[in-house]
Amino acid sequence: MNAHFLQTPIEYLKGVGPNRADLLKKELGIHTFQDLMHLFPNRYLDRTKYYRIGELQKTNAEVQIIGKITHIKTVEQKRGKRLVATFTDDTGQMELVWFRGHKWIRENLKLNVPYVIFGKTNWFNGMYSMPHPEMELLEAHEKSLRSAMQPIYPSTEKLSSSGITNKVISTLLETLFLEAKNRLAESLSKEVLNSLKLLPKNEALFNIHFPKNQTLLSRAQYRLKFEELFYIQLQLIRKNILHKTKIKGYTFPKVGDYFNTFFNEHLPFNLTEAQKRVIKEIRHDLGQASQMNRLLQGDVGSGKTIVAFMSLLIALDNGFQGCLMAPTEILSVQHYNSLLVWCNKLNISISILTGSTKTSERKEIHENLQNGSLQVLIGTHALLEDTVQFKNLGLAIVDEQHRFGVAQRSKLWHKNVQPPNILIMTATPIPRTLAMSVYGDLDVSVIDELPPGRKDIKTVHRFDSNRLKVFRFLKDEILLGRQVYIVYPLIQESEALDYKDLMDGYESISREFPKPKYQISIVHGKMKPADKDYEMNRFVKGETQIMVATTVIEVGVDVPNASVMVIESAERFGLSQLHQLRGRVGRGAEQSYCILMTSHKLSADAKTRLETMVRTNDGFEISEVDLKLRGPGDMMGTQQSGVLNLRIADIIKDSEILKIARSYAMQVLKDDPSLQKPNNAPILHTYTQLVKFKNIWNYIS
Ligand code: ADP
Ligand code: MG
């Protein structure tokens, strides 16, 4: 596209003075011709249909009518005046009403000539009226570029009250298209256009604003959605490639004694095929000269921990240190305990560092990290403190990454002269399309298989009124030697009430399950870490049969003997949280259960969430529903909203186009990594422009 022309400030467009320019900038972010060209309509109205006044119905729908103004008057009312015009056709008469801008309208309205009016009608005082109609002389209407499908542009209160109506925007676009003649260059290569039979750029832009018919409109939309997604993917994939060529990582060429001894002598179970495949992918990455930047997705209980451990062994085999960072103290301790058993067998030194590590231990850890005698460090974000310096950190693993901010993660990158290899593990399955956009610059591995012998967790929904029956079931399970979680919500806004619920619940459970026959642990965020650990440990060791807790146990805790998860006020939890909580059970060979307790009053969304949980155990399926319910922004948190701020495409609805766009972007870059081939010139040019004029499309960072 002709950059100079399209980068012209919007005030230079005919019809846009300094005032309008100001409003367009403030209200719609339109600074340049290009921005206006890319102001895409939200929807289209069918304007082939004309109503007659005699046919109007009291539905308050948008209608279009041809008629004449026969009379204009000003009517005094309590609050200011209104201007009323009588509008007639040969079937009847109605009123057009204005509450603002009287003078201008009175001076410009013509009597007894045909107008096309458009707007919503009201039934008022025994007559139809249309407030603030859009109107145009029939003659002008017939001549204009505007077509049967009228685009409706995004607008704001301020714009419409300042007279920048939909029609004005349309007119500005007409002016712009007349000026732009022959200056709208193609932005995709011939190969891509032909292979997908895409509409050329200029036709697509024209038809998005002035659609000639539904077919052309659909093709225009497809082309522009494709282009938008294509350039995002191109950017992400290029970032990934650049990263690999620019950032030298540590290479771990050999798989040595630690890995082999563990694999041959100490493997606690047979690895699943998915675990083997993922370990292979990681091994391959670590053997390369470029820094590993890999995301490992695996549902709760899919066995990510052993994959993490075996990856650490490869680092150690090559003389490097490794670390594993988890979001909570409890989870760090759990990781530490699992890894400690394996490390002891292999004579590997391992420590844990959290907020509650004593100063003396802390000092020792710091020293041993720097002199290299400490090989593996587990911990919370305490690892990120500046005082924590490694001798040669080769691999950093981050567990459950959605809890860490991007900035926090990047701190790990800078623990060395050279950034360590990075493995990010997440138990929150992300729909593939979303992963492509948000993590499009990372390599992704997926463990899509659970260890053998796992039974699906039976999930049921019960109302509070059935509580006694539920308690009886819990007693039966405890009698069989099983353990039970009972989880209460803890939402920040209603923290005080939530704690009260938790304590009330704890009391009634204590009454229902009396000592000494039953022992109960309780864990919540207001307890001291030491007390929390104590209670947690009693449950882990099987000294207590019931764990009453808030969501602090959501992440990662592993007690294979626990077979029932009761979630109180389940309607208040989000889907991914429910799924995470449920993942705490079903870790042993026994049949496990999840009981979702709710009141009778449920919103439609809450019902969908509960039904989804009852229907499926598949984390990816659940994440798709979650995405539909919440939308991508909410699902990923605000930090990624930039990538998700699309102008025309929709990550959910256009997931097919996204997949195609990604595969084309990959193909183009594979064939021509630096976009130097002549046939890719339009792509290189567009890409360069996009990066240069950051304001054009806001997802380019
Ligand atoms: P997550 O992916 O949620 O972190 P974990 O690594 O905690 O899962 O593994 C869950 C449970 O499954 C643990 O008790 C672990 O020992 C066990 N496990 C992992 N992989 C296998 C396997 N291949 N065969 C049998 N059990 C396994
Ligand atoms: Mg885990």
Side-chain angles (χ1 to χ4, degrees):
M1 203 172 278
N2 189 315
H4 293 302
F5 171 69
L6 284 172
Q7 291 313 318
T8 312
I10 194 68
E11 45 267 53
Y12 293 103
L13 187 67
K14 215 177 93 201
V16 182
N19 286 341
R20 278 188 171 177
D22 214 42
L23 279 164
L24 288 172
K25 281 176 202 171
K26 279 203 189 106
E27 300 294 306
L28 294 175
I30 295 175
H31 296 262
T32 61
F33 287 7
Q34 164 104 7
D35 294 339
L36 180 61
M37 197 70 99
H38 285 97
L39 177 73
F40 295 130
N42 290 332
R43 62 197 172 97
Y44 297 83
L45 283 175
D46 183 359
R47 295 205 57 174
T48 50
K49 173 129 185 78
Y50 289 95
Y51 282 80
R52 303 180 359 122
I53 295 172
E55 300 174 332
L56 290 178
Q57 308 227 320
K58 294 173 192 164
T59 50
N60 195 30
E62 281 161 319
V63 293
Q64 177 172 246
I65 308 168
I66 299 175
K68 294 173 184 173
I69 293 173
T70 53
H71 182 76
I72 302 178
K73 65 181 177 199
T74 306
V75 179
E76 298 281 348
Q77 52 185 25
K78 269 183 229 136
R79 297 216 229 121
K81 294 179 213 166
R82 69 194 146 106
L83 187 67
V84 178
T86 308
F87 188 74
T88 63
D89 67 7
D90 49 13
T91 65
Q93 72 177 45
M94 62 184 291
E95 288 182 339
L96 311 181
V97 186
W98 291 267
F99 301 96
R100 300 176 300 266
H102 299 176
K103 188 163 171 281
W104 189 87
I105 293 161
R106 257 207 122 116
E107 282 166 9
N108 286 280
L109 281 187
K110 298 196 169 91
L111 291 181
N112 297 314
V113 287
Y115 271 102
V116 178
I117 65 163
F118 179 80
K120 281 185 180 174
T121 54
N122 298 323
W123 178 251
F124 184 71
N125 271 350
M127 191 182 291
Y128 283 102
S129 66
M130 186 183 286
H132 290 265
E134 268 186 31
M135 53 194 304
E136 190 171 28
L137 289 169
L138 181 60
E139 206 188 339
H141 183 80
E142 282 168 346
K143 271 196 225 147
S144 77
L145 279 176
R146 255 157 286 140
S147 64
M149 252 108 35
Q150 186 193 325
I152 303 296
Y153 291 96
S155 184
T156 66
E157 185 74 21
K158 209 151 178 203
L159 280 179
S160 49
S161 71
S162 312
I164 305 189
T165 58
N166 201 59
K167 200 182 100 191
V168 168
I169 301 268
S170 245
T171 310
L172 292 179
L173 275 158
E174 261 180 57
T175 313
L176 182 56
F177 269 96
L178 290 175
E179 293 216 7
K181 239 179 212 159
N182 304 325
R183 291 202 246 193
L184 297 178
E186 183 49 61
S187 51
L188 291 170
S189 68
K190 283 217 174 63
E191 286 77 8
V192 174
L193 285 175
N194 291 343
S195 142
L196 286 167
K197 298 195 172 55
L198 297 176
L199 223 50
K201 175 78 174 216
N202 54 1
E203 277 181 52
L205 279 176
F206 186 83
N207 277 286
I208 220 63
H209 294 296
F210 308 103
K212 287 192 187 128
N213 55 49
Q214 185 57 53
T215 314
L216 276 170
L217 175 59
S218 302
R219 291 190 62 199
Q221 285 169 326
Y222 188 94
R223 144 90 209 210
L224 294 170
K225 285 174 178 182
F226 174 86
E227 178 173 342
E228 182 171 42
L229 297 168
F230 175 84
Y231 280 104
I232 295 177
Q233 291 303 322
L234 197 77
Q235 155 107 350
L236 290 169
I237 297 165
R238 274 207 92 201
K239 223 162 126 184
N240 180 306
I241 295 175
L242 278 180
H243 190 99
K244 284 190 177 141
T245 48
K246 263 197 197 149
I247 303 194
K248 288 267 169 293
Y250 295 110
T251 314
F252 305 159
K254 67 174 184 209
V255 170
D257 283 350
Y258 286 130
F259 189 96
N260 288 328
T261 310
F262 184 74
F263 188 77
N264 295 325
E265 293 169 30
H266 302 298
L267 217 49
F269 34 68
N270 291 326
L271 297 174
T272 63
E273 287 308 312
Q275 284 170 322
K276 284 187 208 161
R277 186 187 66 236
V278 167
I279 291 171
K280 234 187 225 162
E281 286 166 354
I282 293 169
R283 254 174 73 175
H284 173 265
D285 275 9
L286 294 175
Q288 305 296 309
S290 52
Q291 183 208 18
M292 175 168 85
N293 224 341
R294 189 167 276 279
L295 176 74
L296 171 56
Q297 280 198 62
D299 212 340
V300 272
S302 62
K304 294 185 293 297
T305 314
I306 197 154
V307 172
F309 182 67
M310 292 176 76
S311 309
L312 288 171
L313 293 183
I314 300 175
L316 267 50
D317 271 336
N318 289 272
F320 287 92
Q321 296 166 300
C323 72
L324 169 56
M325 185 166 79
T328 64
E329 172 127 13
I330 292 179
L331 189 56
S332 303
V333 171
Q334 185 127 31
H335 275 317
Y336 175 72
N337 290 335
S338 339
L339 267 55
L340 182 63
V341 177
W342 297 330
C343 283
N344 283 342
K345 292 185 175 151
L346 298 168
N347 261 324
I348 291 169
S349 55
I350 177 171
S351 286
I352 175 166
L353 181 71
T354 69
S356 52
T357 307
K358 290 197 200 82
T359 319
S360 54
E361 286 174 46
R362 206 172 267 268
K363 255 184 136 173
E364 202 182 317
I365 289 174
H366 289 167
E367 275 174 30
N368 292 337
L369 270 185
Q370 276 180 18
N371 66 32
S373 62
L374 181 55
Q375 292 165 285
V376 176
L377 183 62
I378 312 290
T380 55
H381 47 262
L383 296 195
L384 297 174
E385 282 161 21
D386 292 334
T387 46
V388 179
Q389 291 296 332
F390 293 78
K391 180 170 181 229
N392 58 353
L393 179 64
L395 173 63
I397 303 179
V398 185
D399 194 11
E400 321 283 356
Q401 73 91 28
H402 65 295
R403 305 218 146 197
F404 292 103
V406 171
Q408 276 183 316
R409 258 198 281 140
S410 77
K411 267 196 156 184
L412 271 180
W413 275 229
H414 304 296
K415 286 272 159 199
N416 275 32
V417 194
Q418 218 165 285
N421 291 300
I422 303 280
L423 179 66
I424 298 159
M425 304 198 292
T426 172
T428 313
I430 304 159
R432 236 177 87 70
T433 52
L434 198 53
M436 272 182 203
S437 310
V438 178
Y439 299 118
D441 56 338
L442 301 181
D443 297 302
V444 179
S445 291
V446 182
I447 305 185
D448 50 6
E449 179 189 359
L450 293 182
R454 285 290 164 74
K455 294 195 181 79
D456 266 0
I457 300 158
K458 284 201 178 125
T459 303
V460 294
H461 171 205
R462 293 284 179 267
F463 292 110
D464 291 337
S465 45
N466 287 322
R467 186 171 300 282
L468 287 181
K469 257 190 167 164
V470 171
F471 282 163
R472 245 176 284 148
F473 175 74
L474 299 186
K475 284 180 181 163
D476 290 347
E477 281 290 302
I478 292 171
L479 202 62
L480 291 170
R482 307 282 115 74
Q483 287 165 286
V484 172
Y485 293 103
I486 304 178
V487 177
Y488 286 81
L490 182 60
I491 316 288
Q492 246 147 24
E493 302 87 74
S494 43
E495 190 176 288
L497 270 180
D498 284 345
Y499 271 115
K500 188 175 177 309
D501 281 354
L502 172 77
M503 287 329 219
D504 290 352
Y506 176 66
E507 255 168 45
S508 84
I509 292 160
S510 305
R511 249 177 284 125
E512 192 65 30
F513 297 86
K515 281 181 191 166
K517 189 171 177 195
Y518 299 101
Q519 298 292 329
I520 307 175
S521 286
I522 178 164
V523 172
H524 59 76
K526 283 199 173 163
M527 292 164 71
K528 290 200 193 91
D531 297 342
K532 247 194 267 182
D533 286 354
Y534 174 77
E535 289 286 315
M536 199 68 222
N537 274 328
R538 290 209 305 152
F539 188 69
V540 173
K541 287 190 212 142
E543 293 170 8
T544 59
Q545 300 99 337
I546 302 176
M547 160 66 73
V548 176
T550 55
T551 42
V552 285
I553 60 145
E554 179 193 339
V555 186
V557 178
D558 190 23
V559 182
N561 189 48
S563 66
V564 188
M565 166 64 65
V566 180
I567 304 176
E568 295 285 347
S569 304
E571 70 270 35
R572 294 179 58 198
F573 289 89
L575 258 181
S576 74
Q577 224 179 356
L578 289 173
H579 181 62
Q580 291 281 322
L581 283 170
R582 177 168 63 182
R584 297 306 108 216
V585 297
R587 306 196 140 222
E590 304 304 329
Q591 176 63 56
S592 291
Y593 305 88
C594 175
I595 304 172
L596 306 168
M597 304 293 298
T598 74
S599 66
H600 280 277
K601 254 177 70 186
L602 295 174
S603 69
D605 276 10
K607 274 187 196 149
T608 307
R609 292 196 295 267
L610 295 164
E611 280 161 15
T612 306
M613 288 296 293
V614 171
R615 183 184 73 238
T616 179
N617 274 275
D618 179 343
F620 281 96
E621 192 180 335
I622 290 170
S623 75
E624 297 282 353
V625 177
D626 202 21
L627 180 62
K628 282 190 186 123
L629 287 179
R630 287 201 289 161
D634 268 2
M635 191 160 168
M636 300 310 302
T638 43
Q639 64 202 30
Q640 278 98 359
S641 63
V643 184
L644 302 170
N645 227 337
L646 303 176
R647 289 221 164 201
I648 186 163
D650 177 320
I651 279 200
I652 304 167
K653 293 188 193 130
D654 301 320
S655 58
E656 280 312 308
I657 308 179
L658 172 57
K659 283 179 205 161
I660 296 169
R662 183 167 174 88
S663 78
Y664 271 79
M666 272 185 182
Q667 217 174 299
V668 166
L669 286 174
K670 201 173 151 206
D671 175 56
D672 184 14
S674 48
L675 301 171
Q676 292 306 314
K677 293 194 177 167
N679 49 352
N680 284 329
I683 296 180
L684 177 65
H685 182 72
T686 309
Y687 182 78
T688 316
Q689 294 294 317
L690 284 174
V691 175
K692 189 167 156 202
F693 297 103
K694 283 181 185 145
N695 62 329
I696 299 175
W697 281 346
N698 45 9
Y699 49 76
I700 300 294
S701 53

